[in-house]
Amino acid sequence: MTADSHYNVAIIGSGIAGSTLAAILARHGINVVVFEAKQHPRFSIGESMILETSEMMRALADLYDVPEIAYFSSENFMDMAGTSHGIKRHFGYFHHEAGQTHDPKHTLQAVIPKEPHGHEFHLYRQDTDYFMMTTAVRYGATVLQNTPVTGVEFGENGVDLMTKGGVISADYLVDAAGFRSPIADKFDLRDRDQQTHSRALFTHMVNVALPPSDNGQKKEYDLPFPMSEGTLHHVFHGGWLWVIPFNNHDRSTNPLVSVGLLLDPRIHPQNNELSAEEEFRQFIAQYPTIAAQFTNARAVRDWVRAPRIQYGSTQIVGDRWALLGHAAGFIDPLYSKGLYISFATLNVLAHLLIEAKMTGDYSRERFLPLETVTQNYLRSNDRLVANSYRSWQNYKLWNVYSALWLLGAYTELIKLNAMRAMADDRAGYIQMLQGLRLSGGGFDEYDRVADQIDTLMEAVDPADEAAVDQFFAQAREIFAPIDWMPQVFRDLLDGSTSLPRKKLRLSLLKRDDGFLGKGAYRAHFFGDHSALEMVRVFIKEKIRYATPVLRFQHRRRINRGQ
């Protein structure tokens, strides 16, 4: 593709975040160029969707009139998204003790509600990223593949980017290049002051066996869905292992399974005498149930082994530049928050760039909301992940902390859904988005509860059973008076191993103790909207995202040449 010499916005990196931003900006008449050092299609991880990410994709599609962004938000879009992606009906966890087969009582299956939008995807990222890149091109963006940026120079009126083909200038630069961010390198922005410590080994495999809950021990586990129909996390002292299948539904055309092992290097230091695969095999041999799942599994690509993966940035925006997604920072793939952080901050940045095009103000001060949101999300994720690792040393600790994680994700999703339903315009939505911090929906009472539980977690000795029992009792006391905490989360504390498959019931519509709650909770999440109004929103969403409706709308756009 032939490049011009000057653009309104330049983006380094054509991954899913950079390409989505390019599509939005081009759709709104902004002249944008994207630099890709390699070439699509290309391998990438970050494949497990969560409800918050899916909802943010729908919001982006609506707010910026780019319907393609929503294609990966629900299985109902499979006709458009393609059958190379897996289906995700739950978050699944097996808590393990070294040398022992898995105890079915130490299971958690957090079922994802099917209504109103449908279940979610495991994204086969080489396809999603390629699709969003081509979507950006269709809307008018210039994408330069095999074009690494070798230098960046800022001036009073713009930025110059050096490439093998010459110099290209822009009014503003977005760095979405991940850890190897040219801007982070140029201004020495990287910091490693995170609580979380983990290193990674990952690849794609074939012939990964079903877990025991799906094969031979179904009665002992008694779960709403097979574990293979969701993202399976094997968790243990000092780390966890993900299993993300793309081959877990009838329409699948992809035999691959994404596999990754995350280890705290302070507890499990890297053995440089072993290859990545040898280290993986040696480690999982300690856990019989995990090892059995990989007896016949084979990698289809080289293993990647990365040292400690946590990093942040001391600054996110400057005069005429911003860091986006993993260029700004990264914590850990646990809970799959990375894509949510990328899309939430992308939403803020897209709005600010569209405004800047009209005003000509590309100053750091004008883009500070992006810095605030990004840093808030990264800090919250760091504490959440670090204390999750800590909790895996004793199942009682994990039992409590999983309830806190779910409560934070639940309230965040409620707020996101309410924002899209109630915002008068994009500016109003972005204003509300700036009040979020990854978990809890920006609700002060949740933040207070989370801080109490986190503080207790950070003080307890996981090896002291008496201290662990005291922690468990104190945590229950903290949860007890919360009238807005769903009963199903309390049931987990009492030994339940799953959330219910069907979540809709008439009791949710009760005035004082139904879904909308009361007092400060109701005011924060639903304002003055009634239960009837929210039911109408639910029904509207159910119809709008039904597969036949999506197919009809897609055919109509194709026929119109859109």
PDB file of all heavy atoms in Angstrom, residues 333-368:
ATOM      1  N   PRO A 333      -1.857 -12.980  32.379  1.00  0.00           N
ATOM      2  CA  PRO A 333      -3.084 -13.367  31.663  1.00  0.00           C
ATOM      3  C   PRO A 333      -4.220 -13.847  32.574  1.00  0.00           C
ATOM      4  O   PRO A 333      -5.338 -14.046  32.101  1.00  0.00           O
ATOM      5  CB  PRO A 333      -2.620 -14.512  30.749  1.00  0.00           C
ATOM      6  CG  PRO A 333      -1.141 -14.450  30.726  1.00  0.00           C
ATOM      7  CD  PRO A 333      -0.724 -13.850  32.025  1.00  0.00           C
ATOM      8  N   LEU A 334      -3.947 -14.070  33.856  1.00  0.00           N
ATOM      9  CA  LEU A 334      -4.979 -14.538  34.773  1.00  0.00           C
ATOM     10  C   LEU A 334      -6.204 -13.617  34.718  1.00  0.00           C
ATOM     11  O   LEU A 334      -6.078 -12.406  34.713  1.00  0.00           O
ATOM     12  CB  LEU A 334      -4.435 -14.590  36.191  1.00  0.00           C
ATOM     13  CG  LEU A 334      -5.384 -15.144  37.257  1.00  0.00           C
ATOM     14  CD1 LEU A 334      -5.689 -16.609  37.024  1.00  0.00           C
ATOM     15  CD2 LEU A 334      -4.794 -14.933  38.653  1.00  0.00           C
ATOM     16  N   TYR A 335      -7.391 -14.214  34.669  1.00  0.00           N
ATOM     17  CA  TYR A 335      -8.682 -13.510  34.587  1.00  0.00           C
ATOM     18  C   TYR A 335      -8.895 -12.810  33.250  1.00  0.00           C
ATOM     19  O   TYR A 335      -9.902 -12.125  33.057  1.00  0.00           O
ATOM     20  CB  TYR A 335      -8.857 -12.510  35.732  1.00  0.00           C
ATOM     21  CG  TYR A 335      -8.742 -13.124  37.099  1.00  0.00           C
ATOM     22  CD1 TYR A 335      -7.895 -12.572  38.050  1.00  0.00           C
ATOM     23  CD2 TYR A 335      -9.463 -14.264  37.442  1.00  0.00           C
ATOM     24  CE1 TYR A 335      -7.769 -13.126  39.310  1.00  0.00           C
ATOM     25  CE2 TYR A 335      -9.353 -14.834  38.697  1.00  0.00           C
ATOM     26  CZ  TYR A 335      -8.496 -14.272  39.631  1.00  0.00           C
ATOM     27  OH  TYR A 335      -8.374 -14.826  40.879  1.00  0.00           O
ATOM     28  N   SER A 336      -7.936 -12.922  32.323  1.00  0.00           N
ATOM     29  CA  SER A 336      -8.120 -12.419  30.955  1.00  0.00           C
ATOM     30  C   SER A 336      -8.508 -10.943  30.917  1.00  0.00           C
ATOM     31  O   SER A 336      -9.337 -10.527  30.111  1.00  0.00           O
ATOM     32  CB  SER A 336      -9.191 -13.258  30.234  1.00  0.00           C
ATOM     33  OG  SER A 336      -8.859 -14.625  30.254  1.00  0.00           O
ATOM     34  N   LYS A 337      -7.895 -10.152  31.774  1.00  0.00           N
ATOM     35  CA  LYS A 337      -8.226  -8.726  31.845  1.00  0.00           C
ATOM     36  C   LYS A 337      -7.484  -7.887  30.804  1.00  0.00           C
ATOM     37  O   LYS A 337      -7.821  -6.718  30.591  1.00  0.00           O
ATOM     38  CB  LYS A 337      -7.891  -8.190  33.237  1.00  0.00           C
ATOM     39  CG  LYS A 337      -8.619  -8.858  34.391  1.00  0.00           C
ATOM     40  CD  LYS A 337     -10.082  -8.517  34.438  1.00  0.00           C
ATOM     41  CE  LYS A 337     -10.717  -9.026  35.730  1.00  0.00           C
ATOM     42  NZ  LYS A 337     -12.175  -8.750  35.787  1.00  0.00           N
ATOM     43  N   GLY A 338      -6.462  -8.457  30.162  1.00  0.00           N
ATOM     44  CA  GLY A 338      -5.640  -7.663  29.258  1.00  0.00           C
ATOM     45  C   GLY A 338      -6.415  -7.026  28.120  1.00  0.00           C
ATOM     46  O   GLY A 338      -6.255  -5.828  27.827  1.00  0.00           O
ATOM     47  N   LEU A 339      -7.264  -7.806  27.451  1.00  0.00           N
ATOM     48  CA  LEU A 339      -8.044  -7.250  26.344  1.00  0.00           C
ATOM     49  C   LEU A 339      -9.063  -6.232  26.848  1.00  0.00           C
ATOM     50  O   LEU A 339      -9.341  -5.235  26.160  1.00  0.00           O
ATOM     51  CB  LEU A 339      -8.764  -8.370  25.581  1.00  0.00           C
ATOM     52  CG  LEU A 339      -7.944  -9.135  24.546  1.00  0.00           C
ATOM     53  CD1 LEU A 339      -8.800 -10.213  23.892  1.00  0.00           C
ATOM     54  CD2 LEU A 339      -7.377  -8.212  23.482  1.00  0.00           C
ATOM     55  N   TYR A 340      -9.625  -6.470  28.026  1.00  0.00           N
ATOM     56  CA  TYR A 340     -10.563  -5.491  28.580  1.00  0.00           C
ATOM     57  C   TYR A 340      -9.856  -4.159  28.818  1.00  0.00           C
ATOM     58  O   TYR A 340     -10.364  -3.090  28.458  1.00  0.00           O
ATOM     59  CB  TYR A 340     -11.169  -6.024  29.881  1.00  0.00           C
ATOM     60  CG  TYR A 340     -12.040  -5.015  30.600  1.00  0.00           C
ATOM     61  CD1 TYR A 340     -12.960  -4.232  29.906  1.00  0.00           C
ATOM     62  CD2 TYR A 340     -11.933  -4.832  31.971  1.00  0.00           C
ATOM     63  CE1 TYR A 340     -13.754  -3.307  30.555  1.00  0.00           C
ATOM     64  CE2 TYR A 340     -12.728  -3.919  32.635  1.00  0.00           C
ATOM     65  CZ  TYR A 340     -13.632  -3.150  31.920  1.00  0.00           C
ATOM     66  OH  TYR A 340     -14.406  -2.219  32.575  1.00  0.00           O
ATOM     67  N   ILE A 341      -8.655  -4.214  29.403  1.00  0.00           N
ATOM     68  CA  ILE A 341      -7.898  -2.982  29.630  1.00  0.00           C
ATOM     69  C   ILE A 341      -7.605  -2.295  28.299  1.00  0.00           C
ATOM     70  O   ILE A 341      -7.763  -1.074  28.154  1.00  0.00           O
ATOM     71  CB  ILE A 341      -6.594  -3.293  30.384  1.00  0.00           C
ATOM     72  CG1 ILE A 341      -6.901  -3.820  31.792  1.00  0.00           C
ATOM     73  CG2 ILE A 341      -5.712  -2.048  30.473  1.00  0.00           C
ATOM     74  CD1 ILE A 341      -5.694  -4.327  32.551  1.00  0.00           C
ATOM     75  N   SER A 342      -7.200  -3.074  27.295  1.00  0.00           N
ATOM     76  CA  SER A 342      -6.881  -2.494  25.991  1.00  0.00           C
ATOM     77  C   SER A 342      -8.084  -1.811  25.369  1.00  0.00           C
ATOM     78  O   SER A 342      -7.990  -0.670  24.875  1.00  0.00           O
ATOM     79  CB  SER A 342      -6.356  -3.583  25.046  1.00  0.00           C
ATOM     80  OG  SER A 342      -5.111  -4.087  25.482  1.00  0.00           O
ATOM     81  N   PHE A 343      -9.244  -2.459  25.374  1.00  0.00           N
ATOM     82  CA  PHE A 343     -10.417  -1.890  24.716  1.00  0.00           C
ATOM     83  C   PHE A 343     -11.029  -0.737  25.511  1.00  0.00           C
ATOM     84  O   PHE A 343     -11.543   0.226  24.927  1.00  0.00           O
ATOM     85  CB  PHE A 343     -11.455  -2.977  24.446  1.00  0.00           C
ATOM     86  CG  PHE A 343     -11.145  -3.812  23.242  1.00  0.00           C
ATOM     87  CD1 PHE A 343     -10.850  -5.155  23.369  1.00  0.00           C
ATOM     88  CD2 PHE A 343     -11.122  -3.259  21.981  1.00  0.00           C
ATOM     89  CE1 PHE A 343     -10.549  -5.931  22.261  1.00  0.00           C
ATOM     90  CE2 PHE A 343     -10.818  -4.023  20.857  1.00  0.00           C
ATOM     91  CZ  PHE A 343     -10.532  -5.362  21.004  1.00  0.00           C
ATOM     92  N   ALA A 344     -10.975  -0.808  26.831  1.00  0.00           N
ATOM     93  CA  ALA A 344     -11.504   0.295  27.637  1.00  0.00           C
ATOM     94  C   ALA A 344     -10.675   1.554  27.433  1.00  0.00           C
ATOM     95  O   ALA A 344     -11.212   2.658  27.241  1.00  0.00           O
ATOM     96  CB  ALA A 344     -11.531  -0.099  29.110  1.00  0.00           C
ATOM     97  N   THR A 345      -9.352   1.413  27.465  1.00  0.00           N
ATOM     98  CA  THR A 345      -8.499   2.584  27.264  1.00  0.00           C
ATOM     99  C   THR A 345      -8.553   3.060  25.812  1.00  0.00           C
ATOM    100  O   THR A 345      -8.495   4.265  25.546  1.00  0.00           O
ATOM    101  CB  THR A 345      -7.058   2.275  27.691  1.00  0.00           C
ATOM    102  OG1 THR A 345      -6.589   1.089  27.016  1.00  0.00           O
ATOM    103  CG2 THR A 345      -6.982   2.028  29.193  1.00  0.00           C
ATOM    104  N   LEU A 346      -8.688   2.135  24.882  1.00  0.00           N
ATOM    105  CA  LEU A 346      -8.868   2.487  23.471  1.00  0.00           C
ATOM    106  C   LEU A 346     -10.113   3.358  23.285  1.00  0.00           C
ATOM    107  O   LEU A 346     -10.106   4.323  22.495  1.00  0.00           O
ATOM    108  CB  LEU A 346      -8.978   1.206  22.650  1.00  0.00           C
ATOM    109  CG  LEU A 346      -9.061   1.234  21.131  1.00  0.00           C
ATOM    110  CD1 LEU A 346      -8.664  -0.127  20.585  1.00  0.00           C
ATOM    111  CD2 LEU A 346     -10.466   1.577  20.627  1.00  0.00           C
ATOM    112  N   ASN A 347     -11.163   3.034  24.015  1.00  0.00           N
ATOM    113  CA  ASN A 347     -12.405   3.806  23.936  1.00  0.00           C
ATOM    114  C   ASN A 347     -12.163   5.256  24.324  1.00  0.00           C
ATOM    115  O   ASN A 347     -12.602   6.200  23.643  1.00  0.00           O
ATOM    116  CB  ASN A 347     -13.453   3.161  24.860  1.00  0.00           C
ATOM    117  CG  ASN A 347     -14.874   3.478  24.453  1.00  0.00           C
ATOM    118  OD1 ASN A 347     -15.134   4.469  23.781  1.00  0.00           O
ATOM    119  ND2 ASN A 347     -15.801   2.639  24.862  1.00  0.00           N
ATOM    120  N   VAL A 348     -11.451   5.451  25.422  1.00  0.00           N
ATOM    121  CA  VAL A 348     -11.128   6.803  25.877  1.00  0.00           C
ATOM    122  C   VAL A 348     -10.253   7.519  24.844  1.00  0.00           C
ATOM    123  O   VAL A 348     -10.501   8.674  24.479  1.00  0.00           O
ATOM    124  CB  VAL A 348     -10.418   6.755  27.241  1.00  0.00           C
ATOM    125  CG1 VAL A 348      -9.991   8.163  27.674  1.00  0.00           C
ATOM    126  CG2 VAL A 348     -11.320   6.132  28.305  1.00  0.00           C
ATOM    127  N   LEU A 349      -9.234   6.813  24.350  1.00  0.00           N
ATOM    128  CA  LEU A 349      -8.296   7.434  23.414  1.00  0.00           C
ATOM    129  C   LEU A 349      -8.965   7.805  22.099  1.00  0.00           C
ATOM    130  O   LEU A 349      -8.711   8.890  21.544  1.00  0.00           O
ATOM    131  CB  LEU A 349      -7.121   6.483  23.157  1.00  0.00           C
ATOM    132  CG  LEU A 349      -6.044   6.959  22.179  1.00  0.00           C
ATOM    133  CD1 LEU A 349      -5.466   8.300  22.606  1.00  0.00           C
ATOM    134  CD2 LEU A 349      -4.957   5.906  22.037  1.00  0.00           C
ATOM    135  N   ALA A 350      -9.812   6.937  21.576  1.00  0.00           N
ATOM    136  CA  ALA A 350     -10.496   7.240  20.318  1.00  0.00           C
ATOM    137  C   ALA A 350     -11.325   8.519  20.442  1.00  0.00           C
ATOM    138  O   ALA A 350     -11.300   9.393  19.552  1.00  0.00           O
ATOM    139  CB  ALA A 350     -11.387   6.063  19.911  1.00  0.00           C
ATOM    140  N   HIS A 351     -12.045   8.647  21.541  1.00  0.00           N
ATOM    141  CA  HIS A 351     -12.861   9.844  21.772  1.00  0.00           C
ATOM    142  C   HIS A 351     -11.980  11.097  21.833  1.00  0.00           C
ATOM    143  O   HIS A 351     -12.305  12.122  21.204  1.00  0.00           O
ATOM    144  CB  HIS A 351     -13.646   9.680  23.070  1.00  0.00           C
ATOM    145  CG  HIS A 351     -14.496  10.859  23.430  1.00  0.00           C
ATOM    146  ND1 HIS A 351     -15.642  11.180  22.743  1.00  0.00           N
ATOM    147  CD2 HIS A 351     -14.344  11.798  24.399  1.00  0.00           C
ATOM    148  CE1 HIS A 351     -16.182  12.268  23.271  1.00  0.00           C
ATOM    149  NE2 HIS A 351     -15.417  12.662  24.276  1.00  0.00           N
ATOM    150  N   LEU A 352     -10.876  11.007  22.553  1.00  0.00           N
ATOM    151  CA  LEU A 352      -9.988  12.167  22.686  1.00  0.00           C
ATOM    152  C   LEU A 352      -9.349  12.540  21.353  1.00  0.00           C
ATOM    153  O   LEU A 352      -9.172  13.735  21.049  1.00  0.00           O
ATOM    154  CB  LEU A 352      -8.910  11.869  23.731  1.00  0.00           C
ATOM    155  CG  LEU A 352      -9.400  11.707  25.172  1.00  0.00           C
ATOM    156  CD1 LEU A 352      -8.256  11.270  26.074  1.00  0.00           C
ATOM    157  CD2 LEU A 352     -10.038  12.997  25.687  1.00  0.00           C
ATOM    158  N   LEU A 353      -9.001  11.551  20.542  1.00  0.00           N
ATOM    159  CA  LEU A 353      -8.383  11.841  19.244  1.00  0.00           C
ATOM    160  C   LEU A 353      -9.371  12.477  18.270  1.00  0.00           C
ATOM    161  O   LEU A 353      -9.004  13.369  17.496  1.00  0.00           O
ATOM    162  CB  LEU A 353      -7.804  10.561  18.645  1.00  0.00           C
ATOM    163  CG  LEU A 353      -6.482  10.089  19.264  1.00  0.00           C
ATOM    164  CD1 LEU A 353      -6.119   8.696  18.752  1.00  0.00           C
ATOM    165  CD2 LEU A 353      -5.361  11.082  18.958  1.00  0.00           C
ATOM    166  N   ILE A 354     -10.607  12.023  18.293  1.00  0.00           N
ATOM    167  CA  ILE A 354     -11.623  12.629  17.428  1.00  0.00           C
ATOM    168  C   ILE A 354     -11.845  14.091  17.823  1.00  0.00           C
ATOM    169  O   ILE A 354     -11.963  14.980  16.967  1.00  0.00           O
ATOM    170  CB  ILE A 354     -12.927  11.817  17.494  1.00  0.00           C
ATOM    171  CG1 ILE A 354     -12.723  10.452  16.816  1.00  0.00           C
ATOM    172  CG2 ILE A 354     -14.072  12.567  16.824  1.00  0.00           C
ATOM    173  CD1 ILE A 354     -13.854   9.480  17.027  1.00  0.00           C
ATOM    174  N   GLU A 355     -11.861  14.347  19.134  1.00  0.00           N
ATOM    175  CA  GLU A 355     -11.996  15.732  19.595  1.00  0.00           C
ATOM    176  C   GLU A 355     -10.766  16.559  19.215  1.00  0.00           C
ATOM    177  O   GLU A 355     -10.878  17.721  18.809  1.00  0.00           O
ATOM    178  CB  GLU A 355     -12.202  15.756  21.109  1.00  0.00           C
ATOM    179  CG  GLU A 355     -13.574  15.299  21.571  1.00  0.00           C
ATOM    180  CD  GLU A 355     -13.820  15.619  23.028  1.00  0.00           C
ATOM    181  OE1 GLU A 355     -12.820  15.708  23.794  1.00  0.00           O
ATOM    182  OE2 GLU A 355     -14.985  15.797  23.419  1.00  0.00           O
ATOM    183  N   ALA A 356      -9.580  15.955  19.371  1.00  0.00           N
ATOM    184  CA  ALA A 356      -8.344  16.680  19.070  1.00  0.00           C
ATOM    185  C   ALA A 356      -8.255  17.066  17.601  1.00  0.00           C
ATOM    186  O   ALA A 356      -7.704  18.119  17.256  1.00  0.00           O
ATOM    187  CB  ALA A 356      -7.138  15.837  19.471  1.00  0.00           C
ATOM    188  N   LYS A 357      -8.779  16.220  16.733  1.00  0.00           N
ATOM    189  CA  LYS A 357      -8.781  16.546  15.299  1.00  0.00           C
ATOM    190  C   LYS A 357      -9.567  17.839  15.037  1.00  0.00           C
ATOM    191  O   LYS A 357      -9.212  18.631  14.160  1.00  0.00           O
ATOM    192  CB  LYS A 357      -9.406  15.383  14.521  1.00  0.00           C
ATOM    193  CG  LYS A 357      -9.577  15.639  13.017  1.00  0.00           C
ATOM    194  CD  LYS A 357      -8.245  15.859  12.321  1.00  0.00           C
ATOM    195  CE  LYS A 357      -8.400  15.757  10.799  1.00  0.00           C
ATOM    196  NZ  LYS A 357      -9.373  16.699  10.254  1.00  0.00           N
ATOM    197  N   MET A 358     -10.599  18.057  15.825  1.00  0.00           N
ATOM    198  CA  MET A 358     -11.428  19.255  15.635  1.00  0.00           C
ATOM    199  C   MET A 358     -10.806  20.490  16.282  1.00  0.00           C
ATOM    200  O   MET A 358     -10.940  21.602  15.777  1.00  0.00           O
ATOM    201  CB  MET A 358     -12.823  19.009  16.200  1.00  0.00           C
ATOM    202  CG  MET A 358     -13.611  17.932  15.458  1.00  0.00           C
ATOM    203  SD  MET A 358     -15.313  17.744  16.058  1.00  0.00           S
ATOM    204  CE  MET A 358     -15.025  16.970  17.653  1.00  0.00           C
ATOM    205  N   THR A 359     -10.120  20.297  17.434  1.00  0.00           N
ATOM    206  CA  THR A 359      -9.586  21.446  18.174  1.00  0.00           C
ATOM    207  C   THR A 359      -8.114  21.730  17.878  1.00  0.00           C
ATOM    208  O   THR A 359      -7.636  22.834  18.129  1.00  0.00           O
ATOM    209  CB  THR A 359      -9.724  21.197  19.686  1.00  0.00           C
ATOM    210  OG1 THR A 359      -8.913  20.068  20.055  1.00  0.00           O
ATOM    211  CG2 THR A 359     -11.178  20.919  20.062  1.00  0.00           C
ATOM    212  N   GLY A 360      -7.390  20.706  17.389  1.00  0.00           N
ATOM    213  CA  GLY A 360      -5.959  20.863  17.170  1.00  0.00           C
ATOM    214  C   GLY A 360      -5.131  20.782  18.433  1.00  0.00           C
ATOM    215  O   GLY A 360      -3.924  21.034  18.406  1.00  0.00           O
ATOM    216  N   ASP A 361      -5.752  20.415  19.550  1.00  0.00           N
ATOM    217  CA  ASP A 361      -5.052  20.333  20.838  1.00  0.00           C
ATOM    218  C   ASP A 361      -4.576  18.904  21.079  1.00  0.00           C
ATOM    219  O   ASP A 361      -5.355  18.034  21.448  1.00  0.00           O
ATOM    220  CB  ASP A 361      -5.987  20.777  21.967  1.00  0.00           C
ATOM    221  CG  ASP A 361      -5.279  20.843  23.319  1.00  0.00           C
ATOM    222  OD1 ASP A 361      -4.088  20.474  23.384  1.00  0.00           O
ATOM    223  OD2 ASP A 361      -5.929  21.252  24.301  1.00  0.00           O
ATOM    224  N   TYR A 362      -3.277  18.678  20.882  1.00  0.00           N
ATOM    225  CA  TYR A 362      -2.686  17.360  21.090  1.00  0.00           C
ATOM    226  C   TYR A 362      -1.738  17.358  22.297  1.00  0.00           C
ATOM    227  O   TYR A 362      -0.804  16.565  22.370  1.00  0.00           O
ATOM    228  CB  TYR A 362      -1.919  16.921  19.844  1.00  0.00           C
ATOM    229  CG  TYR A 362      -2.802  16.663  18.647  1.00  0.00           C
ATOM    230  CD1 TYR A 362      -2.923  17.613  17.633  1.00  0.00           C
ATOM    231  CD2 TYR A 362      -3.509  15.472  18.518  1.00  0.00           C
ATOM    232  CE1 TYR A 362      -3.718  17.385  16.518  1.00  0.00           C
ATOM    233  CE2 TYR A 362      -4.313  15.227  17.410  1.00  0.00           C
ATOM    234  CZ  TYR A 362      -4.415  16.187  16.419  1.00  0.00           C
ATOM    235  OH  TYR A 362      -5.202  15.944  15.324  1.00  0.00           O
ATOM    236  N   SER A 363      -2.014  18.225  23.254  1.00  0.00           N
ATOM    237  CA  SER A 363      -1.136  18.355  24.413  1.00  0.00           C
ATOM    238  C   SER A 363      -1.326  17.191  25.379  1.00  0.00           C
ATOM    239  O   SER A 363      -2.356  16.505  25.383  1.00  0.00           O
ATOM    240  CB  SER A 363      -1.423  19.662  25.147  1.00  0.00           C
ATOM    241  OG  SER A 363      -2.728  19.638  25.716  1.00  0.00           O
ATOM    242  N   ARG A 364      -0.322  16.987  26.212  1.00  0.00           N
ATOM    243  CA  ARG A 364      -0.406  15.965  27.255  1.00  0.00           C
ATOM    244  C   ARG A 364      -1.621  16.207  28.154  1.00  0.00           C
ATOM    245  O   ARG A 364      -2.345  15.267  28.498  1.00  0.00           O
ATOM    246  CB  ARG A 364       0.877  15.960  28.092  1.00  0.00           C
ATOM    247  CG  ARG A 364       0.782  15.173  29.400  1.00  0.00           C
ATOM    248  CD  ARG A 364       2.124  15.047  30.084  1.00  0.00           C
ATOM    249  NE  ARG A 364       1.989  14.680  31.482  1.00  0.00           N
ATOM    250  CZ  ARG A 364       1.723  13.457  31.928  1.00  0.00           C
ATOM    251  NH1 ARG A 364       1.542  12.470  31.048  1.00  0.00           N
ATOM    252  NH2 ARG A 364       1.620  13.207  33.209  1.00  0.00           N
ATOM    253  N   GLU A 365      -1.859  17.452  28.520  1.00  0.00           N
ATOM    254  CA  GLU A 365      -2.955  17.764  29.433  1.00  0.00           C
ATOM    255  C   GLU A 365      -4.300  17.311  28.870  1.00  0.00           C
ATOM    256  O   GLU A 365      -5.149  16.810  29.607  1.00  0.00           O
ATOM    257  CB  GLU A 365      -2.984  19.276  29.726  1.00  0.00           C
ATOM    258  CG  GLU A 365      -1.859  19.781  30.616  1.00  0.00           C
ATOM    259  CD  GLU A 365      -0.501  19.777  29.931  1.00  0.00           C
ATOM    260  OE1 GLU A 365      -0.471  19.839  28.663  1.00  0.00           O
ATOM    261  OE2 GLU A 365       0.532  19.712  30.637  1.00  0.00           O
ATOM    262  N   ARG A 366      -4.480  17.472  27.571  1.00  0.00           N
ATOM    263  CA  ARG A 366      -5.764  17.107  26.958  1.00  0.00           C
ATOM    264  C   ARG A 366      -6.000  15.607  27.012  1.00  0.00           C
ATOM    265  O   ARG A 366      -7.148  15.151  27.040  1.00  0.00           O
ATOM    266  CB  ARG A 366      -5.778  17.585  25.501  1.00  0.00           C
ATOM    267  CG  ARG A 366      -7.105  17.371  24.806  1.00  0.00           C
ATOM    268  CD  ARG A 366      -8.190  18.240  25.410  1.00  0.00           C
ATOM    269  NE  ARG A 366      -9.503  17.890  24.892  1.00  0.00           N
ATOM    270  CZ  ARG A 366     -10.284  16.935  25.385  1.00  0.00           C
ATOM    271  NH1 ARG A 366      -9.868  16.213  26.421  1.00  0.00           N
ATOM    272  NH2 ARG A 366     -11.455  16.694  24.851  1.00  0.00           N
ATOM    273  N   PHE A 367      -4.918  14.797  27.067  1.00  0.00           N
ATOM    274  CA  PHE A 367      -5.047  13.341  27.029  1.00  0.00           C
ATOM    275  C   PHE A 367      -4.833  12.691  28.399  1.00  0.00           C
ATOM    276  O   PHE A 367      -4.770  11.462  28.487  1.00  0.00           O
ATOM    277  CB  PHE A 367      -4.072  12.760  26.001  1.00  0.00           C
ATOM    278  CG  PHE A 367      -4.490  12.991  24.573  1.00  0.00           C
ATOM    279  CD1 PHE A 367      -4.275  14.206  23.961  1.00  0.00           C
ATOM    280  CD2 PHE A 367      -5.136  11.985  23.859  1.00  0.00           C
ATOM    281  CE1 PHE A 367      -4.685  14.430  22.650  1.00  0.00           C
ATOM    282  CE2 PHE A 367      -5.539  12.188  22.553  1.00  0.00           C
ATOM    283  CZ  PHE A 367      -5.308  13.413  21.944  1.00  0.00           C
ATOM    284  N   LEU A 368      -4.759  13.491  29.448  1.00  0.00           N
ATOM    285  CA  LEU A 368      -4.535  12.928  30.777  1.00  0.00           C
ATOM    286  C   LEU A 368      -5.617  11.942  31.238  1.00  0.00           C
ATOM    287  O   LEU A 368      -5.308  11.025  32.017  1.00  0.00           O
ATOM    288  CB  LEU A 368      -4.388  14.059  31.805  1.00  0.00           C
ATOM    289  CG  LEU A 368      -2.999  14.699  31.857  1.00  0.00           C
ATOM    290  CD1 LEU A 368      -3.000  15.874  32.842  1.00  0.00           C
ATOM    291  CD2 LEU A 368      -1.943  13.678  32.256  1.00  0.00           C
TER     292      LEU A 368
END
